[in-house]
Amino acid sequence: MAFPSTLFRSRPICLFAAAAALCATPALSHEAWLLTPSEIEALALEPNPAIFQSRLVLGGGALIASFAAALALAAEDRFRHIEDRLASPIAPYAATLGALILRLGLAAMLLLAATGGLPRHGVVAWTEPTLFVPDMQLQMVPGWDWLIAGQALIGLALAIGFGTRLCGLAMIGLSGLGLGLFGMPFLSYAPHFAAPGLMLALIGGGAISVDRLLEDRDMPPPAPVVAGILWRAALAAVGLGFVYLSVAYKLTQPTLLIAILEHGNFPSFGLGLDWIALLMTGVEIVCGLLLALGRLTRVVALVLIGAISFLAVTLGETPLFHANLYGMMAIFAMAGPRIPAEAPRGVAIFGRVEA
Amino acid sequence: MRTRVFARHGAILAVSAMLATLAAAAPHINAGNTPPRSVFLRLPGDAPEPRVAMDLEARADGTWRLRIDTEDFTFTSLCVTEAAAVPVGHAHVIVNGVKVASAFHPVVDLGALPPGEHDVTVVLRGQDHRALLGRSGMIRANAVVSVGAG
């Protein structure tokens, strides 16, 4: 059994990922609602930190980040065989357990959004149905109440793994529809819901799915070459989504990020919070770009899982706010940048297991 | 050969180019010292600035009624995801630092207040819940009310 030794050898990677995770807490599109009235009043008067206006600091930071990325990419080229060997015990499960985690994460988000069970801060639970996320309240788009039933149906289907590939396509459709209905604010969310939809459309329901029982008859998968290209497109959407979030909410609104860090008593490690904010911004942008390019995918996925978890703990948020991201990162951490291989029938936990 | 060189160095070139672009653009964007647009909605400087005042009325049944008096501001219960920079929206009612109500109309029943001093603040918000910013900051009114025991 190779697992303990691989774990031992992967310890430096895990430590690096944990350290980087502290600097990459992603997504601030909804966290602004956590600020108290007095914090908002103080924020209105807060000038942008000088380092976020300094060409010297930002240029130097970009240079250092480029150098660090170059080193990491060189290390990936050199040690790819080690990474593959370390990941080999979990890689075969990406299309089965990974798909299951992604399906259940999306199902939970859809069902809670449809029922208003995961409300925005300050909104009474079960009163405001939304599209995907707490901010996008359906009351703001009169006439689109059918999205409640639509999301609930897709959520239920994903939960049991019925028609998963079609549900994945429906997720892409809903992401596009959300952009049309809510406009630019939905751009913070659309890539991170369209991409998992595309991923599920490509790999199907995975383990413990009705689709597995029905032998994946809901929709034929595309040709392998096309599937590979589309998988890269999903990676690019996820990565660029992170880049967009970090630019829109961190790089160009640094006082908001700092206020949220102060609100959550984020550890500053002896640095000023403005420097912590700059570091987080840089790490997240680099992580997003690497994901978009399909490089260092496993390491970046581990970093982002750690970062999202750290953010949730620091701000006292439920992990369900980011269940879509957890699902995608779980698959990337297992499979790397490549589309997971066809799910081996032997690892089905429930359903027909072929000899 | 050229393909191999690009495959080897393309990623770092792309990362470096993007980081350099952002490092060049960010100082311009951040130079104006504007408060975060995710939280605040700045009203145009050439339009009349809304004003807000408030009146707290003790009622016979022991509850308190808040009347919000505004000028150049329109209350609406219609919320949108991204509001235009116009003086239309609602007010947030904050008691002792905690938001207790969104006022979509100028009259709000606060219910009974426990004995002691209470700091009540009203802040005007846009239709997308962002705090409206006028020429001198947030548009707000504040009052302290003392509630006697019994």
Side-chain angles (χ1 to χ4, degrees), chain A residues 112-285:
Chain A
L112 288 168
T115 53
L118 195 62
R120 191 177 69 195
H121 192 70
V123 174
V124 179
W126 316 111
T127 60
E128 289 285 353
T130 63
L131 179 60
F132 291 158
V133 290
D135 293 2
M136 298 295 127
Q137 296 174 335
L138 290 177
Q139 61 143 337
M140 292 190 281
V141 285
W144 291 89
D145 293 343
W146 64 267
L147 286 172
I148 298 171
Q151 285 186 104
L153 280 175
I154 296 170
L156 286 173
L158 285 174
I160 61 172
F162 177 63
T164 308
R165 293 180 198 273
L166 285 173
C167 289
L169 293 181
M171 291 288 296
I172 299 171
L174 282 182
S175 302
L177 184 62
L179 273 175
L181 290 176
F182 294 102
M184 275 300 283
F186 203 77
L187 195 55
S188 301
Y189 308 109
H192 289 165
F193 284 92
L198 180 55
M199 291 163 69
L200 285 179
L202 293 171
I203 62 175
I208 320 182
S209 66
V210 173
D211 288 338
R212 176 61 57 85
L213 277 173
L214 300 175
E215 299 187 339
D216 292 330
R217 284 188 191 136
D218 67 324
M219 200 182 88
V225 175
V226 176
I229 293 169
L230 291 174
W231 189 263
R232 279 304 177 100
L235 255 176
V238 179
L240 293 177
F242 279 118
V243 173
Y244 173 76
L245 288 172
S246 55
V247 172
Y249 293 94
K250 289 177 177 168
L251 185 65
T252 58
Q253 300 190 71
T255 52
L256 173 60
L257 172 56
I258 292 167
I260 291 167
L261 295 179
E262 280 174 348
H263 175 89
N265 292 319
F266 194 92
S268 66
F269 308 104
L271 293 170
L273 280 179
D274 49 351
W275 285 98
I276 294 282
L278 184 62
L279 193 62
M280 287 170 62
T281 305
V283 172
E284 188 179 340
I285 290 172

Side-chain angles (χ1 to χ4, degrees), chain A residues 303-343:
Chain A
V303 166
L304 291 175
I305 287 173
I308 298 162
S309 306
F310 188 74
L311 182 78
V313 170
T314 304
L315 297 180
E317 284 188 341
T318 164
L320 286 171
F321 272 137
H322 300 118
N324 55 334
L325 303 181
Y326 279 118
M328 289 190 291
M329 294 309 133
I331 292 179
F332 294 150
M334 291 184 204
R338 290 173 292 276
I339 184 167
E342 179 70 17

Side-chain angles (χ1 to χ4, degrees), chain B residues 6-127:
Chain B
F6 183 78
R8 206 170 176 78
H9 302 293
I12 188 59
L13 283 176
V15 171
S16 302
M18 179 59 121
L19 290 173
T21 306
L22 292 174
H28 287 289
I29 298 166
N30 293 333
N33 268 334
T34 47
R37 63 188 173 282
S38 298
V39 183
F40 301 101
L41 179 59
R42 186 175 285 288
L43 295 171
D46 54 353
E49 182 159 315
R51 282 192 293 175
V52 60
M54 59 189 281
D55 178 49
L56 276 160
E57 171 196 344
R59 309 189 75 205
D61 59 359
T63 62
W64 290 80
R65 175 165 283 179
L66 170 67
R67 291 180 195 279
I68 304 169
D69 183 23
T70 58
E71 281 178 41
D72 296 314
F73 179 80
T74 307
F75 277 95
T76 177
S77 58
L78 186 66
C79 293
V80 298
T81 45
E82 194 166 32
V86 290
V88 176
H90 59 276
H92 283 186
V93 181
I94 297 151
V95 178
N96 297 329
V98 177
K99 181 192 156 199
V100 296
S102 290
F104 297 100
H105 305 280
V107 179
V108 182
D109 284 324
L110 293 179
L113 294 172
E117 284 208 335
H118 298 282
D119 188 283
V120 183
T121 303
V122 170
V123 181
L124 296 189
R125 296 269 176 158
Q127 283 180 279

